[in-house]
Amino acid sequence: MKKEIQDMYLSPIRDISSRASQLSSRGLPVVSFGAGDTVFDTPEPVKQAAIKALTENRSHYETIRGNSVLRQKIAARYKADYGLEYNEDEILITAAGTESIFDTFLALISPGDEVIVVSPAFINYENCITLAGGKTVSAPVRESDGFEPDADMIESLITERTRMLVINNPCNPTGVVYSKKCVKRLAALAVKYDFLVFSDEVYDRIIYDGFPYTPIASFPGMRERTIIANSFSKMLAMTGWRIGYLAACGGIMEALFKVHHYSTACQPTFIQDALAGTIDLPATDDALKRMVDSMNENRRRVTQWLKSHPCLSAVEPKGAFYYFIKVSGCGMSGREFTSRLLEEKYVAVIPGEGLGKDFPDYIRLSYAVKEDTLEEGLARIDCFLDEIAQ
């Protein structure tokens, strides 16, 4: 086995999900706040368009870069929403966000390169960097800073081997949406030290209360340094459809395209057709708005619930659908809290250390669930906290 493969590790998130499934299969009433999925259904226009495409036998190869109309509409959204100019050849359709990560690091990271990753973070980053022969340099955020990256800390980590900075904005698992000031400072570092930025933006349509969102590629000198990864998985509740995209310019996109060419070749034609015909429909936008409104109500409910538990601390999320909660005030680590909560109360959450080694005192709770499921799960955690306090 290659050393790079030996150095990779399997997801602790999957461990929790597997154990929760085992308990559920035994007939136990598991409530899951764990997986990065939503309870919502894919919008009806997308489903109906996919059925239509299948009946029309749109099940053969699509072009490797992806459906032309779909790529044009993605480019049009970036121009309309953020003033960013991309042509369709600067958009690449991928197997959701996971392939985007794989393509980027395999294409752009060489053995010995250092990649600064704002932590906590999706663990695919570190493992794909390892696979490429690179070195992950962790830049942990602090709850006292509202979980925003510290540009001064990041600058202190930069060396002559620094090749890339990885950010996830809005963030899984903290729910933070970076302020414009924060993003501007990170962009200035990339220009000053001439490194790339991988910007995972899969939650950019899931932001609450009109909180402003600023993509890093919008700053001077950043379009040519930024690789944007996005996905339809979260914004349209399509996690099982496995479709997303990369946006980048010039030689960067050509490098990404080569890896994509030999990994997945193309994504299902009928799915691309369905999205090409529906992503800009009012009915699709309405479905997204209803989903975000529902998650916002759940977010507010968890915010209120936390106020009744002084042993827990957290920063209210502005985007995505997770709460990152410090549990050390309960007298246990995040891993112990997670394990006991699942085994004793059948509630699944994720240990923070599974998303960053600097966060052993935290758990991640997903609130993208039905209202009654949220209430049941919170009631069980109430009971758990009462029992351990005795």
Side-chain angles (χ1 to χ4, degrees), residues 107-317:
L108 302 174
I109 302 304
S110 299
D113 283 349
E114 294 179 357
V115 181
I116 299 173
V117 178
V118 176
S119 176
F122 188 40
I123 65 170
N124 288 41
Y125 306 149
E126 181 177 356
N127 282 281
C128 286
I129 292 165
T130 297
L131 182 62
K135 176 186 176 182
T136 297
V137 178
S138 179
V141 297
R142 294 182 289 262
E143 188 174 333
S144 59
D145 294 332
F147 289 133
E148 277 203 325
D150 182 335
D152 291 334
M153 175 200 292
I154 290 172
E155 185 167 22
S156 74
L157 299 173
I158 295 170
T159 73
E160 61 182 13
R161 289 185 172 274
T162 301
R163 171 64 168 159
M164 184 183 292
L165 169 67
V166 177
I167 61 174
N168 178 201
N169 180 31
C171 179
N172 167 18
T174 64
V176 66
V177 179
Y178 299 173
S179 66
K180 183 175 182 178
K181 179 181 178 181
C182 171
V183 179
K184 184 177 181 180
R185 292 197 67 195
L186 297 179
L189 290 179
V191 173
K192 179 179 178 179
Y193 294 100
D194 193 22
F195 56 74
L196 300 172
V197 174
F198 177 79
S199 182
D200 185 337
E201 302 178 5
V202 301
Y203 298 97
D204 76 326
R205 300 293 296 278
I206 305 176
I207 297 178
Y208 307 108
D209 299 336
F211 195 86
Y213 175 73
T214 307
I216 196 166
S218 64
F219 286 94
M222 288 308 299
R223 183 181 177 278
E224 59 267 34
R225 287 183 171 83
T226 302
I227 304 95
I228 295 173
N230 212 318
S231 170
F232 297 100
S233 292
K234 315 298 184 180
M235 72 173 76
L236 294 180
M238 297 178 66
T239 52
W241 297 59
R242 310 314 299 147
I243 189 160
Y245 56 90
L246 284 161
C249 63
I252 293 176
M253 177 51 73
E254 288 311 301
L256 302 175
F257 176 71
K258 285 183 179 179
V259 178
H260 171 78
H261 184 106
Y262 291 108
S263 58
T264 58
C266 72
Q267 296 317 109
T269 301
F270 69 93
I271 298 177
Q272 295 191 56
D273 279 8
L275 286 168
T278 60
I279 60 170
D280 54 355
L281 292 179
T284 306
D285 284 341
D286 287 345
L288 171 60
K289 184 179 184 302
R290 288 193 300 272
M291 181 177 71
V292 174
D293 286 347
S294 178
M295 288 191 288
N296 195 17
E297 288 302 312
N298 285 353
R299 177 185 70 114
R300 290 169 176 163
R301 174 67 182 97
V302 178
T303 300
Q304 286 300 118
W305 173 81
L306 283 166
K307 292 177 181 178
S308 65
H309 294 292
C311 63
L312 304 176
S313 69
V315 175
E316 184 179 43

